[in-house]
Each structure stands twice: as structure tokens, then as C-alpha cells.
Amino acid sequence: FFLKLFFSFIYYYFDEHISYIFVSYLSCVLLAFEQFNVSHTVNQLSFGTYLHSRTRNSLNITSQLDGAVRTVVDGYGMFQYYLQVVPTVFRFLNGTTIETFQYSVTEHTRHVDPGSNRGLPGVFFFYEVSALHVEFEEYRRGWTHFFTGVCAAVGGAFTVMGMLDRSLFEWKSGGGGEQLLR
């Protein structure tokens, strides 16, 4: 209706009222800006297959924009979201694989005056899929790794206790420990 009204105004008054066309256009743009509310709520934003909240919490996947509320009081706002989407794979011990996407976001909010040629009010999402991907793999270490770790802990404790014993012996004997070594 708005464009139809505007073009009918141009058609009827083009011959005699050329100067009024620009004024009418500017007033229509101002009217459109005042009625354009860009306040919004992002309930959920995800890429790929849907993961239940229980699965998302167990994998520690957070979505930065879920539940985000943005409001503009004067109607002249522009919201721009730049999203970097990263493919992610989770591999579990039981052989289950989950392929999903994670994202990071940079948000820009700008006040746009009518007729300033700086853009239109709105909510814009720009996304880029990363060439790199992330893989999380769950695995168990073997018994040899456990045995090596225990030996390292016992050996370290034995060495520290030996150094402590030698220091106490030298301190108690008044420095006579040097004669024992010769």
C-alpha cells in the first residue's frame, strides 16, 4: 500500500509539482523509519542437526545468542551479527559420532538516521563457514600409561624424600656430612 500510494503520487503530480516529489519521498522514508521496529529476541540460533539441551549441556556447547534480547527505543537501529561457523565432530568411546557446528559472533549496533545513506534499519546476520574443523575424541589410556605414571610419582617422591633426608642429616650433624662423602 505504501509504495502504491507513493507511485500514484508521482504519476499524478509529475508534470507540475516536481519539487514536491522529493519532499514527499523524504517524508515517506521518515514515516517508514518511524514505524520500523527492529527490537528483537533471538530464541535459539544453531547450525546443523538439532541437539537436545541435555546433549548440548553434556558436551559443553554454548550458543552465544540464545535468549539475546535487543531493543531500540527510537526505531533507527541497525543490528549486524557476524558469525564464524566452525564444523565440529564429537567421537565417543562407544563409537557414536555427533557432527554439529559451533559459532562465534561479533555484534555491531548502529544508529541510522533517515536520509544519511548509512543503511536501513534492520537485523542482519552475516555468516562464514570456517575452512578448519574441530574434532573432540574421547579415548582411554592403556594400563602401560597408568603404570608409567605411578612409577614416575613413586620415583619423584622417593627422590624428594632422599634430598630432604640428606638436608636434615647435614643440618643436624652441623655440616659433618661432607666428611662422610670422602
Side-chain angles (χ1 to χ4, degrees):
F1 174 76
F2 170 71
L3 290 176
K4 184 177 179 182
L5 177 71
F6 176 68
F7 286 123
S8 65
F9 177 80
I10 290 176
Y11 178 76
Y12 290 121
Y13 295 101
F14 186 75
D15 292 335
E16 298 175 13
H17 304 285
I18 294 176
S19 62
Y20 292 114
I21 292 175
F22 180 72
V23 173
S24 175
Y25 173 73
L26 188 59
S27 64
C28 289
V29 168
L30 290 175
L31 179 66
F33 266 66
E34 289 175 6
Q35 295 177 352
F36 200 76
N37 186 1
V38 295
S39 299
H40 61 282
T41 301
V42 180
N43 293 323
Q44 180 183 9
L45 180 65
S46 62
F47 296 89
T49 57
Y50 174 74
L51 297 176
H52 295 286
S53 61
R54 185 176 55 227
T55 306
R56 293 168 59 90
N57 291 339
S58 67
L59 296 176
N60 199 17
I61 296 176
T62 58
S63 297
Q64 299 168 356
L65 290 179
D66 285 359
V69 177
R70 305 292 186 261
T71 56
V72 173
V73 290
D74 61 356
Y76 299 128
M78 175 189 288
F79 291 94
Q80 296 175 327
Y81 297 99
Y82 296 93
L83 302 163
Q84 179 74 32
V85 181
V86 180
T88 307
V89 177
F90 293 93
R91 299 183 201 284
F92 300 101
L93 285 175
N94 62 0
T96 306
T97 301
I98 296 176
E99 295 181 5
T100 186
F101 296 88
Q102 297 184 66
Y103 66 88
S104 62
V105 64
T106 303
E107 177 182 345
H108 295 286
T109 304
R110 181 167 51 172
H111 181 81
V112 181
D113 291 322
S116 66
N117 292 330
R118 293 185 59 206
L120 293 173
V123 179
F124 302 97
F125 291 89
F126 304 98
Y127 67 94
E128 176 184 359
V129 178
S130 176
L132 302 175
H133 70 278
V134 177
E135 292 187 13
F136 293 100
E137 186 172 355
E138 185 179 38
Y139 62 92
R140 288 190 185 143
R141 297 179 176 164
W143 287 102
T144 57
H145 191 278
F146 173 74
F147 183 68
T148 305
V150 169
C151 288
V154 169
F158 184 74
T159 303
V160 169
M161 293 307 285
M163 291 170 47
L164 183 64
D165 181 52
R166 179 176 170 99
S167 300
L168 286 174
F169 177 75
E170 286 183 14
W171 177 70
K172 186 140 181 141
S173 65
E178 295 176 5
Q179 295 174 359
L180 293 176
L181 292 175
R182 291 187 204 175

